[in-house]
């Protein structure tokens, strides 16, 4: 898969087969973060890999799915849940703003997984206090976000963003995600 093909097809996935993510993919996810570019090469991000079924089940109720959809459409059912979560932590004792580093790491880890057909959902709407306790995260580390991973059982298509769609994704008749994106002309100008 070319990088551009990956960028088109590496969408957000929210329903998954009940099949574990193999260890080589987990290793690639961690490696993708380890090798990421970061400000002043500080390398101030840390990960918690949640892969035991017991711990994955404890994370499930602490994340919120698909805010644009009613829960019966957007929330994975019991047999559609992700089989792996990775928590992304920031070392708050490191100088500077780590949000750009975090964004680059999120892009790299989700692309690395997608290269092996493992889909993902970056999750910012999470119960940080409860997850911090559950995952044993201690100062100066702070939980930035969770990423859910698994083998998708739905498709996701880019559609043109129109006055009708706005930015909200929706499900089509196959329960596949349709994700409106602005045109190139709307987001860039050429001098
Ligand atoms: C920083 C960030 C936080 C997000 N948080 C959530 C979330 O809490 N729950 C969720 O279902 N999706 C979440 N998403 C996924 C977005 O809804 C998704 O990226 C967006 O709708 C565009 O879809 P696409 O990734 O397929 O382009 C998040 C994405 C990002 C980048």
């Amino acid at each position: 898969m070319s990088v551009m093909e990956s960028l088109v097809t590496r969408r957000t996935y929210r329903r998954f087969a009940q099949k574990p993510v193999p260890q080589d993919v987990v290793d690639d996810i961690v490696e993708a973060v380890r090798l990421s570019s970061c400000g002043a090469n500080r390398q101030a991000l840390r990960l918690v890999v949640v892969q035991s079924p017991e711990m994955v089940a404890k994370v499930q109720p602490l994340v919120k799915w698909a805010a644009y959809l009613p829960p019966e459409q957007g929330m994975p059912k019991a047999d559609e849940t992700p089989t792996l979560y990775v928590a992304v932590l920031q070392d708050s004792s490191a100088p500077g703003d780590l949000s750009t580093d975090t964004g680059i790491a999120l892009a790299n880890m989700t692309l690395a997984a997608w290269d092996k057909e493992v889909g993902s959902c970056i999750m910012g709407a999470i119960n940080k206090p409860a997850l911090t306790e559950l995952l044993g995260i201690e100062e100066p580390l702070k939980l930035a976000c969770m990423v859910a991973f698994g083998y998708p059982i739905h498709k996701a298509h880019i559609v043109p963003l129109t006055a009708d769609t706005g930015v909200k994704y929706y499900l089509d008749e196959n329960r596949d995600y349709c994700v409106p994106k602005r045109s190139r002309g709307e987001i860039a100008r050429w001098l």
Side-chain angles (χ1 to χ4, degrees), residues 10 15 31 33 36-37 41 50 59 64 67 81 86 124 144 149 168 182:
R10 189 233 56 95
R15 303 194 307 273
E31 191 71 349
V33 174
S36 289
S37 295
N41 201 26
V50 182
V59 169
K64 186 169 167 30
T81 52
V86 176
F149 291 94
K168 295 184 181 177
R182 298 186 201 283

Side-chain angles (χ1 to χ4, degrees), residues 10-12 14 64-66 121-125 169 179 181:
R10 189 233 56 95
R11 304 261 57 82
T12 291
R14 296 188 177 87
K64 186 169 167 30
W65 295 90
C121 180
I122 297 166
M123 312 204 76
Y169 46 79
V179 187
K181 296 288 186 189

Side-chain angles (χ1 to χ4, degrees), residues 19-191:
K19 173 177 149 193
V21 174
Q23 192 59 42
D24 65 295
V25 184
V26 176
D27 292 346
D28 282 1
I29 290 168
V30 175
E31 191 71 349
V33 174
R34 188 176 80 84
L35 301 178
S36 289
S37 295
C38 52
N41 201 26
R42 282 179 302 240
Q43 302 170 63
L45 301 182
R46 299 291 179 270
L47 305 175
V48 181
V49 178
V50 182
Q51 56 186 356
S52 76
E54 299 74 28
M55 285 301 290
V56 168
K58 287 183 181 171
V59 169
Q60 312 286 16
L62 303 176
V63 298
K64 186 169 167 30
W65 295 90
Y68 287 147
L69 296 176
E72 64 276 15
Q73 285 185 31
M75 216 173 123
K77 301 194 176 20
D79 59 351
E80 299 173 337
T81 52
T83 52
L84 171 75
Y85 280 100
V86 176
V88 180
L89 321 180
Q90 298 172 339
D91 180 348
S92 64
S93 69
D97 173 14
L98 294 175
S99 54
T100 303
D101 294 1
T102 304
I104 291 171
L106 290 168
N108 288 355
M109 68 202 284
T110 56
L111 280 168
W114 187 236
D115 197 45
K116 292 187 171 170
E117 297 171 6
V118 170
S120 57
C121 180
I122 297 166
M123 312 204 76
I126 57 178
N127 184 337
K128 285 191 184 177
L131 284 164
T132 297
E133 189 176 337
L134 177 70
L135 304 179
I137 298 166
E138 294 183 352
E139 290 285 331
L141 297 178
K142 289 202 185 309
L143 177 61
C145 57
M146 300 294 293
V147 189
F149 291 94
Y151 289 95
I153 55 170
H154 68 85
K155 294 189 166 55
H157 313 285
I158 301 291
V159 297
L161 190 155
T162 65
D164 283 345
T165 66
V167 296
K168 295 184 181 177
Y169 46 79
Y170 56 90
L171 301 186
D172 66 15
E173 61 283 2
N174 299 316
R175 295 178 68 222
D176 291 332
Y177 275 79
C178 298
V179 187
K181 296 288 186 189
R182 298 186 201 283
S183 66
R184 283 193 284 273
E186 208 179 341
I187 68 155
R189 66 191 177 93
W190 291 262
L191 302 176

